[in-house]
Amino acid sequence: MAAVLTDVWPLFGLVVRTGRVELRLPRDEELAALAELAGRGVHRPDEQPFLTPWTAGDPADRARRVLQGFWSGLAEWRSASWSLDLGVFRDGEPIGSVSLNGTDFRVVREVTTSSWLGLPHHRQGYGTEARIGLLALAFDHLGASAARTEVFPDNAASQGVSRKLGYRPDGISVDARGDEALVSHRLRLPRAAWLDGTHPPVTVEGLAPCLPLFGL
């Protein structure tokens, strides 16, 4: 049955591996565990480091939003507009999620990224490692020309990871969260800066049958 699923939707066969983590689409039981992890918290209650209101509602509400996000990404996938939401696994255990998004990627060749980790897995370098895996997929295997991300000015951890990987300031954006207007720093990583950097080895498996889904 797993082979049939991969034949019909080859993204289930796509696996990105770094030294310690593996990025791939979670299966149903793994997605449930990932949602439960998010329900227990992705940041401290006294912080608001993301535009997504992760502290809103109870753990079940947060878990449901994770499920809906993964399902909608698969259901709404188009070659001209896609969102690849991958689970981050450490020794088979889901510890977080990363997203790679593209609009008119075949022409524009730019992607955006985002990520979260469950609270028990913070400050251990997993976020940096997962971002490197995602960027290696984008630049080295999909041929991206740039990667963009947005981060709050006071999100020191994400700002630090982005600077370390070579991102450059690219202006600001303003978004609404309820009745509050929030300013984010836009950051951009050009292909040349990625190629000039030194990164740990990343392996990608199962990409070839997926390329038409990315418009390639």
Side-chain angles (χ1 to χ4, degrees):
M1 185 62 69
V4 172
L5 181 61
T6 302
D7 289 341
V8 174
W9 195 250
L11 289 171
F12 277 102
L14 177 63
V15 182
V16 179
R17 292 188 178 91
T18 68
R20 297 183 299 167
V21 302
E22 182 176 89
L23 313 179
R24 57 179 173 80
L25 285 180
R27 302 304 172 99
D28 287 345
E29 296 80 4
E30 295 169 332
L31 179 55
L34 192 62
E36 193 271 337
L37 174 67
R40 287 189 274 119
V42 304
H43 59 75
R44 297 200 308 264
D46 60 336
E47 298 177 334
Q48 289 288 347
F50 301 115
L51 186 62
T52 301
W54 282 107
T55 53
D58 59 23
D61 293 325
R62 294 192 287 272
R64 277 192 289 269
R65 286 198 293 270
V66 169
L67 295 176
Q68 288 177 305
F70 271 89
W71 289 334
S72 66
L74 294 176
E76 297 172 6
W77 188 288
R78 303 290 183 273
S79 61
S81 179
W82 44 263
S83 179
L84 179 64
D85 301 317
L86 301 175
V88 180
F89 294 87
R90 165 69 168 154
D91 295 331
E93 174 192 4
I95 64 172
S97 174
V98 292
S99 297
L100 185 72
N101 310 285
T103 301
D104 295 322
F105 179 76
R106 184 180 65 82
V107 177
V108 177
R109 296 288 174 158
E110 292 198 353
V111 295
T112 61
T113 66
S114 60
S115 64
W116 61 264
L117 293 176
L119 262 175
H121 310 289
H122 286 200
R123 302 184 184 279
Q124 300 175 60
Y126 295 131
T128 300
E129 203 166 319
R131 177 102 69 98
I132 289 172
L134 201 63
L135 292 172
L137 172 64
F139 285 114
D140 301 337
H141 297 270
L142 295 177
S145 63
R148 294 176 288 111
T149 191
E150 296 187 3
V151 59
F152 287 163
D154 60 354
N155 188 340
S158 184
Q159 291 269 10
V161 170
S162 297
R163 284 196 302 271
K164 181 164 51 176
L165 294 177
Y167 282 80
R168 302 169 183 175
D170 192 40
I172 65 168
S173 62
V174 182
D175 298 282
R177 185 170 64 194
D179 294 328
E180 185 181 11
L182 299 173
V183 175
S184 297
H185 288 169
R186 289 203 315 259
L187 304 172
R188 189 171 187 270
L189 177 63
R191 180 178 183 82
W194 167 260
L195 295 177
D196 284 345
T198 301
H199 314 105
V202 175
T203 62
V204 175
E205 299 177 4
L207 178 61
C210 302
L211 293 177
L213 295 173
F214 293 99
L216 302 175

